[in-house]
């Protein structure tokens, strides 16, 4: 029996209200059995990272994506907390106009002075049979 889960879509503010945000969000909704919280759609601008991190702590899974090969400071904080709490983080990748997931294994600060291109995501392929979350693939 499938268990309904909660997911969080951590992504760059540079993607807010863009076709890319819509496409990634739609992909998550098509593949994940649960409710996806998108900060842009469901929360809005709060001003500090604390409330977003409080939400991340309550999630079953985090979905994220890069912007120009990196993530910003806020997404870094969200993903780093999820990894610390052993919440699975799936990175949305795109190849030949098709989306797929990789699992986040490590997040590395690459430019502590640029909050828009703050960190790099290190991922690996995963086996759908071993997923700790329910995906409809």
């Amino acid at each position: 029996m499938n268990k309904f889960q909660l997911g969080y879509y951590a992504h760059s503010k540079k993607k807010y209200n863009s076709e890319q945000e819509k496409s990634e969000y739609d992909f998550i909704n098509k593949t994940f059995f649960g409710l996806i919280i998108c900060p842009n759609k469901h929360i809005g601008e709060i001003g500090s990272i604390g409330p977003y991190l409080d939400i991340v702590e309550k999630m079953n899974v985090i979905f994220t994506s890069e912007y120009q090969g990196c993530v910003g400071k806020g997404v870094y904080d969200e993903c780093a907390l999820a990894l610390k709490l052993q919440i699975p983080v799936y990175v949305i990748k795109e190849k030949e106009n098709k989306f797929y997931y990789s699992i986040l294994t490590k997040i590395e600060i690459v430019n502590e002075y640029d909050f828009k291109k703050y960190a790099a995501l290190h991922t690996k392929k995963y086996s759908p049979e071993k997923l700790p979350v329910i995906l409809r693939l």
Side-chain angles (χ1 to χ4, degrees):
M1 179 161 186
N2 289 343
K3 177 185 168 204
F4 190 79
Q5 299 182 355
L6 291 173
Y8 182 85
Y9 171 38
H11 61 294
S12 172
K13 288 183 180 180
K14 296 279 190 182
K15 289 186 178 183
Y16 281 17
N17 303 314
S18 70
E19 189 58 39
Q20 188 70 24
E21 178 190 52
K22 181 185 179 326
S23 296
E24 290 177 358
Y25 185 75
D26 288 347
F27 173 69
I28 298 167
N29 275 318
K30 287 177 189 169
T31 58
F32 177 66
F33 184 71
L35 174 69
I36 302 300
I37 296 172
C38 173
N40 183 35
K41 295 178 181 291
H42 304 113
I43 302 169
E45 184 61 44
I46 296 174
S48 71
I49 191 68
Y52 300 99
L53 296 178
D54 291 342
I55 293 168
V56 166
E57 287 181 345
K58 295 168 180 63
M59 297 296 107
N60 299 106
V61 61
I62 306 300
F63 297 96
T64 192
S65 64
E66 298 165 312
Y67 179 77
Q68 297 181 345
C70 292
V71 296
K73 175 77 164 84
V75 173
Y76 167 84
D77 289 341
E78 292 164 340
C79 291
L81 176 61
L83 289 176
K84 178 182 173 188
L85 297 174
Q86 299 182 338
I87 299 169
V89 180
Y90 292 93
V91 180
I92 302 164
K93 302 276 192 171
E94 186 175 5
K95 185 176 183 179
E96 298 174 2
N97 295 321
K98 292 190 178 191
F99 291 112
Y100 65 96
Y101 294 114
S102 287
I103 191 158
L104 183 65
T105 57
K106 179 182 168 187
I107 189 164
E108 174 186 13
I109 298 171
V110 293
N111 189 345
E112 63 184 295
Y113 302 107
D114 185 345
F115 284 5
K116 301 292 183 202
K117 295 182 180 179
Y118 188 76
L121 304 179
H122 298 274
T123 64
K124 69 175 182 178
K125 292 183 180 180
Y126 65 91
S127 169
E129 295 80 38
K130 296 181 181 178
L131 288 177
V133 297
I134 300 166
L135 294 176
R136 296 182 284 222
L137 297 176

